[in-house]
């Protein structure tokens, strides 16, 4: 299978190559694509060097699948061109997520919506993915009424320049360009992405809209506050869930522990709970601090952590590709 990785030199693109290799995806020919300044350079995949090509050359090479992680403007311009050439695109930007004609997919939750006709498939926002991995199975059992989520997001969600800023600030180096309006070291910024007219950030708006599309359910309410913290890998979320129906905590833990891709870490007597440090480099979504909200009935508190570059981006995209292959959709 010929696979193009568009944005192969970026932070997520590099993880995509790693995940494709680790999961033994059936790549017979890799077509790495990057910006003009990287064309002609090489990337390594399974100990073999591949030459980076232009996006037009990638289309001409007719890959079976193109996994995009090159930004929204690139996706808007080029994903349709790949699709017109019969190439299935899995796009990691926000460009197509809320397009009603495109599927927004977390494989463990809603891969069954995919068909051969889907030539542009959207990969959800990193924070959304780990959230719906927990909301999905609980919604089926107890029926969501309202969700309140507060995120604690790693600087890797912003990209390499943000990691460079954090590390420079740790070292006391002021010469590195700042991508945040304030220092991130020893700080927390209630500001992920840009602010919209209603004073919510784009990240918060994604969190409020995308889960409803993935779950195919717009009957529940969801609100979000997204915060950037000085962590280098892994997003965390504090989530308050009000259900229409009553639940038992043991049953909640059982449902989540039986959900593929979810690991319950919830033994507070032994100080066992999810942390970004533990999630780094792993593909699973970790959930813990599972407890009743004592302030109102039918309401649950929990804590969700995942590696935002892996399950939050690269791994989810590769899992979509795996589903397409396994079900003869490409």
């Amino acid at each position: 299978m010929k696979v193009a990785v568009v944005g192969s030199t970026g932070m997520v693109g590099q993880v995509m190559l790693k995940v494709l290799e680790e999961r033994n995806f059936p790549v017979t020919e890799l077509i790495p694509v990057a910006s003009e300044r990287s064309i002609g350079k090489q990337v390594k995949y399974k100990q073999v060097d591949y030459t980076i090509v232009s996006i037009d050359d990638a289309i001409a090479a007719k890959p079976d699948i193109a996994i995009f992680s090159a930004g929204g403007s690139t996706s808007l311009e080029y994903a349709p061109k790949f699709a017109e050439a019969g190439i299935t695109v899995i796009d990691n930007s926000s460009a197509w997520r809320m397009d009603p004609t495109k599927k927004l997919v977390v494989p463990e939750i809603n891969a069954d919506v995919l068909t051969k006709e889907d030539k542009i498939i959207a990969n959800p926002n990193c924070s959304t993915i780990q959230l719906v991995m927990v909301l999905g199975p609980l919604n089926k059992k107890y029926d969501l009424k309202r969700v309140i989520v507060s995120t604690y997001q790693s600087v890797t969600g912003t990209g390499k320049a943000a990691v460079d800023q954090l590390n420079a600030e740790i070292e006391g180096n002021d010469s590195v360009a700042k991508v945040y309006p304030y220092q991130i070291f020893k700080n927390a910024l209630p500001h992920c992405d840009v602010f919209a007219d209603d004073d919510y950030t784009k990240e918060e708006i994604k969190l409020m809209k995308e889960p409803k599309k993935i779950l195919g359910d717009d009957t529940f309410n969801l609100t979000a506050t997204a915060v950037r913290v000085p962590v280098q890998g892994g997003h965390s979320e504090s989530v308050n869930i009000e259900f229409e129906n009553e639940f038992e905590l043991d049953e909640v833990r059982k449902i989540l522990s039986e959900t593929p891709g979810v690991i319950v870490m919830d033994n507070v007597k032994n100080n066992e709970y999810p942390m970004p440090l533990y999630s780094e480099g792993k593909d699973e979504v970790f959930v813990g601090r599972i407890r009743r909200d004592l302030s109102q009935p039918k309401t649950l508190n929990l804590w969700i952590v995942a590696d935002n570059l892996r399950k939050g981006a690269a791994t989810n995209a590769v899992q979509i590709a795996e589903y397409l292959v396994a079900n003869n959709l490409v």
Side-chain angles (χ1 to χ4, degrees):
M1 178 157 290
K2 292 167 73 170
V3 177
V5 176
V6 182
S8 57
T9 59
M11 189 171 276
V12 174
Q14 286 289 294
V15 179
M16 281 176 175
L17 293 174
K18 187 177 180 183
V19 172
L20 284 166
E21 182 171 339
E22 286 175 1
R23 296 175 72 93
N24 259 332
F25 191 79
V27 178
T28 54
E29 183 183 341
L30 179 72
I31 305 166
V33 182
S35 61
E36 283 187 21
R37 64 180 178 275
S38 295
I39 293 171
K41 295 179 181 178
Q42 294 190 317
V43 296
K44 194 176 288 292
Y45 178 75
K46 289 194 172 181
Q47 306 305 312
V48 177
D49 289 323
Y50 289 86
T51 301
I52 295 169
V53 301
S54 72
I55 201 161
D56 290 318
D57 285 344
I59 296 170
K62 290 287 181 76
D64 301 283
I65 292 173
I67 306 177
F68 273 59
S69 189
S73 58
T74 299
S75 295
L76 285 171
E77 182 178 357
Y78 284 100
K81 295 180 180 179
F82 277 77
E84 286 164 15
I87 302 158
T88 300
V89 173
I90 302 166
D91 180 49
N92 193 50
S93 79
S94 61
W96 305 100
R97 289 176 187 156
M98 296 312 298
D99 185 324
T101 67
K102 305 294 184 288
K103 308 288 175 56
L104 184 63
V105 175
V106 176
E108 296 92 336
I109 304 299
N110 70 329
D112 58 353
V113 300
L114 292 171
T115 69
K116 278 190 175 182
E117 284 67 49
D118 294 310
K119 288 302 178 187
I120 299 176
I121 302 163
N123 207 38
N125 178 48
C126 47
S127 301
T128 299
I129 290 171
Q130 66 190 73
L131 179 62
V132 298
M133 286 285 287
V134 171
L135 293 185
L138 296 182
N139 187 37
K140 282 184 178 179
K141 180 67 178 178
Y142 306 115
D143 195 3
L144 296 173
K145 183 176 181 181
R146 185 174 190 232
V147 179
I148 305 168
V149 56
S150 299
T151 71
Y152 305 75
Q153 296 184 215
S154 157
V155 295
T156 55
T158 309
K160 183 180 181 299
V163 176
D164 291 342
Q165 177 181 337
L166 173 60
N167 288 332
E169 288 171 353
I170 291 170
E171 295 164 3
N173 176 5
D174 288 332
S175 64
V176 173
K178 292 190 184 300
V179 295
Y180 299 125
Y182 298 98
Q183 172 182 314
I184 186 63
F185 179 49
K186 294 184 178 180
N187 204 6
L189 304 179
H191 181 179
C192 294
D193 212 320
V194 299
F195 286 100
D197 292 341
D198 58 7
D199 293 344
Y200 282 82
T201 63
K202 283 178 69 177
E203 184 78 7
E204 291 161 349
I205 293 166
K206 293 171 194 173
L207 267 167
M208 291 188 286
K209 290 183 175 181
E210 291 179 19
K212 296 183 178 187
K213 181 173 179 179
I214 295 164
L215 299 180
D217 182 356
D218 62 2
T219 63
F220 66 95
N221 295 315
L222 196 158
T223 189
T225 300
V227 181
R228 191 74 63 188
V229 293
V231 169
Q232 193 156 316
H235 288 352
S236 304
E237 296 173 344
S238 172
V239 188
N240 179 270
I241 311 168
E242 182 182 0
F243 298 108
E244 297 285 358
N245 302 309
E246 190 50 83
F247 62 87
E248 294 298 330
L249 288 176
D250 286 346
E251 187 177 45
V252 168
R253 291 188 181 96
K254 184 173 186 290
I255 289 168
L256 293 175
S257 65
E258 292 175 353
T259 300
V262 173
I263 293 178
V264 175
M265 290 184 69
D266 193 35
N267 186 343
V268 293
K269 290 178 182 175
N270 292 323
N271 295 332
E272 290 180 9
Y273 35 72
M275 296 178 291
L277 194 65
Y278 182 81
S279 74
E280 205 167 350
K282 298 183 175 75
D283 289 328
E284 296 83 8
V285 172
F286 300 86
V287 60
R289 297 300 319 280
I290 300 167
R291 63 210 189 276
R292 285 189 177 275
D293 180 342
L294 302 179
S295 70
Q296 67 174 9
K298 302 179 186 175
T299 305
L300 182 72
N301 284 311
L302 44 75
W303 176 255
I304 307 169
V305 178
D307 185 319
N308 54 293
L309 295 182
R310 290 185 68 102
K311 182 54 180 171
T315 302
N316 198 77
V318 173
Q319 286 176 305
I320 293 171
E322 288 172 342
Y323 183 89
L324 295 173
V325 172
N327 291 276
N328 298 310
L329 300 179
V330 287

